[in-house]
Amino acid sequence: MKASVNYNSYEVKDDLGKLIREGDLVAMVSDGTKGLVVRGVNGQKTTGLGIEYEEGGHDWLDVFPNGTLHVYGHEESDK
């Protein structure tokens, strides 16, 4: 199952249908790229969820509506 996006509420679900939320650790199923889901704000003060990649860089979470993400942990549980 592909990650699905509900643009009305900005909800993104992973490959197993789990809601992705701030603090989740996610991986792209296709290439294993990992990142942390964070709250982001752009220059126009639009807020939403984004991904900070382990390798550096970041994107809005909803950039991947056709990709497949998998939640494999949560930041709080790893501390």
Side-chain angles (χ1 to χ4, degrees):
M1 173 170 36
K2 299 287 185 184
S4 61
V5 178
N6 179 341
Y7 288 101
N8 294 325
S9 63
Y10 301 102
E11 293 180 348
V12 181
K13 295 183 179 179
D14 79 348
D15 60 328
L16 301 176
K18 179 179 179 180
L19 181 65
I20 298 174
R21 56 198 171 98
E22 187 174 1
D24 280 346
L25 303 168
V26 297
M28 289 291 292
V29 172
S30 60
D31 64 8
T33 300
K34 294 181 179 178
L36 172 66
V37 178
V38 296
R39 173 103 12 225
V41 180
N42 69 11
Q44 297 175 341
K45 307 296 184 214
T46 300
T47 63
L49 294 179
I51 298 176
E52 287 184 354
Y53 297 107
E54 282 184 335
E55 299 84 19
H58 57 277
D59 274 315
W60 289 110
L61 185 61
D62 63 5
V63 167
F64 300 103
N66 296 318
T68 305
L69 295 170
H70 179 74
V71 175
Y72 67 90
H74 192 77
E75 184 179 38
E76 292 298 318
S77 62
D78 288 353
K79 290 182 178 180

